Amino acid sequence: MKAALHFAALSTLALSTFGATFTPQPAQAALFGERAVEQQNFIAVAAPVGNTGRHQLLVIEQQSNRRDCWAENGSTVEPLLLNFDFTGICGRFTDSNGYSIRTGGQDLGMQYRLQIVRQGDDLVLRGVTSRPNQPTLELGRAPYSNDFVRIDLNDTWDFSKRTYQGRTLGHVYLSNQSELSALGNDSNTVADRPSTPSNPSEDKKPSEPSQPSQPSQDQDWRDEIELTNEQQREIAQIRQSYLAENGRLDSQLNQAREELQEMMIGDASARQVRRQRNQVERLRRQVRDNEFSSMMDIRQVMSAEQRVAFADAMELDSQLADADHIITMLLR
């Protein structure tokens, strides 16, 4: 559809204000609150990434009734806001600058990221983390289609807005009132509405066997690489070094972001804020460099045939946004 042709270009136009360049840490959970919103004014959409067969999360907010921000035909969504200047009419959130997970009153933006993966005939919205002993969360599902499709959030998950000292901010939460530990024991409670509505015209016999589910996208590319035992050992060492360095840089980045937030809220001079922002950007580059260097080390372990599947997984023709996920998932 026409909207799909515009999404890849428009999704890169993220907010450029300071408020969109950082995400609060768990230690700052008390700094930010949340406000309930009208659920019908928000929609979670699985947006196709070019012709790759993959999807990313798009959240749309209807901010005024001047024009419709989206239209629905069954599970298919047409993001109408891409066809006009939606300033003051619609909100569009395409990455972690615009949305994050909140559970039990705690902002998990620095611990979890939202991703969409294919599982059989479904697209599954889930929260994933590279931290050990933390659960993967399932937030909702949609029927698979290489198009824009509505994600039905699972029970107890809702949209909300971030607040600061009583003021509502633009950031959107996918929020659950339960504690993270409780969700880890029950992360697959699916919404009452099925993601793929049944067709009453189809008279399917109850005894008809169901079709086996297809492997997820993660499993697809890992199976294609087919690592040997020796390769797995070498990559495990690379991954261990990556996680150690990433943890060190992540801690420094979290502290630098917190200091930047405090400066923005307080009375720091413009020069001090700019200097701190440059420090945040330097640490971000170091995080990305660590990811890329680790992937290059992994690449050296692989054969030419394995590198083909690995390059496809990294999506080198578009971006390296999923590098952390690829490195973490490679040996699972």
Side-chain angles (χ1 to χ4, degrees), residues 6-288:
H6 299 293
F7 181 78
L10 290 174
S11 64
T12 62
L13 301 178
L15 293 174
S16 58
T17 62
F18 280 112
T21 61
F22 43 70
T23 307
Q25 295 75 42
Q28 294 176 293
L31 180 63
F32 293 99
E34 66 177 317
R35 178 180 67 84
V37 297
E38 294 292 337
Q39 298 301 301
Q40 66 268 23
N41 290 339
F42 292 80
I43 186 173
V45 179
V49 181
N51 294 318
T52 63
R54 300 183 182 183
H55 293 71
Q56 64 187 50
L57 176 62
L58 165 67
V59 174
I60 304 176
E61 177 187 5
Q62 185 77 48
Q63 296 176 341
S64 82
N65 58 5
R66 289 163 54 191
R67 297 186 64 170
D68 289 338
C69 298
W70 72 87
E72 298 183 54
N73 182 10
S75 61
T76 302
V77 176
E78 182 178 1
L80 300 175
L81 80 167
L82 299 182
N83 301 322
F84 60 88
D85 180 3
F86 57 83
T87 304
I89 304 173
C90 313
R92 185 194 65 208
F93 312 93
T94 61
D95 55 32
S96 58
N97 287 324
Y99 50 65
S100 62
I101 295 175
R102 186 181 180 97
T103 65
Q106 181 182 15
D107 190 317
L108 301 182
M110 289 304 300
Q111 299 182 45
Y112 277 81
R113 62 187 181 83
L114 288 155
Q115 69 168 194
I116 296 174
V117 297
R118 183 178 181 181
Q119 291 184 1
D121 294 330
D122 284 342
L123 292 169
V124 180
L125 173 63
R126 64 185 189 178
V128 296
T129 179
S130 59
R131 300 191 177 189
N133 303 320
Q134 293 284 65
T136 295
L137 307 175
E138 180 179 316
L139 284 77
R141 290 186 175 235
Y144 177 79
S145 172
N146 195 27
D147 208 335
F148 291 82
V149 288
R150 183 192 65 243
I151 298 173
D152 291 326
L153 296 183
N154 292 355
D155 288 344
T156 73
W157 288 97
D158 292 300
F159 296 104
S160 64
K161 278 295 191 76
R162 177 185 289 167
T163 63
Y164 173 70
Q165 293 185 348
R167 181 169 60 92
T168 301
L169 307 180
H171 192 91
V172 175
Y173 286 129
L174 280 81
S175 180
N176 197 305
Q177 298 306 308
S178 299
E179 298 290 336
L180 179 61
S181 57
L183 292 173
N185 296 326
D186 187 21
S187 62
N188 295 315
T189 303
V190 183
D192 293 335
R193 180 169 51 182
S195 60
T196 307
S198 60
N199 188 342
S201 64
E202 295 180 357
D203 186 16
K204 187 176 181 179
K205 296 180 180 179
S207 60
E208 183 178 343
S210 60
Q211 295 296 320
S213 61
Q214 299 297 316
S216 68
Q217 289 173 319
D218 292 329
Q219 192 63 46
D220 286 342
W221 64 263
R222 284 182 291 173
D223 287 345
E224 291 177 8
I225 292 178
E226 295 182 344
L227 296 172
T228 66
N229 291 337
E230 179 60 28
Q231 287 175 320
Q232 290 185 34
R233 283 192 291 271
E234 292 185 49
I235 292 175
Q237 294 177 353
I238 295 171
R239 178 173 176 267
Q240 184 175 3
S241 298
Y242 158 75
L243 291 175
E245 179 66 7
N246 189 68
R248 185 185 70 82
L249 292 172
D250 186 57
S251 176
Q252 293 182 4
L253 180 57
N254 287 348
Q255 182 177 354
R257 281 170 165 166
E258 182 176 354
E259 291 175 1
L260 178 58
Q261 285 181 328
E262 292 174 353
M263 289 181 178
M264 289 296 296
I265 296 171
D267 298 324
S269 68
R271 183 178 180 180
Q272 290 173 315
V273 173
R274 189 175 295 109
R275 185 185 300 117
Q276 187 62 27
R277 181 179 183 275
N278 290 339
Q279 174 65 10
V280 170
E281 292 303 319
R282 281 194 294 270
L283 288 167
R284 281 177 171 166
R285 287 194 296 270
Q286 291 180 39
V287 169
R288 291 194 294 269

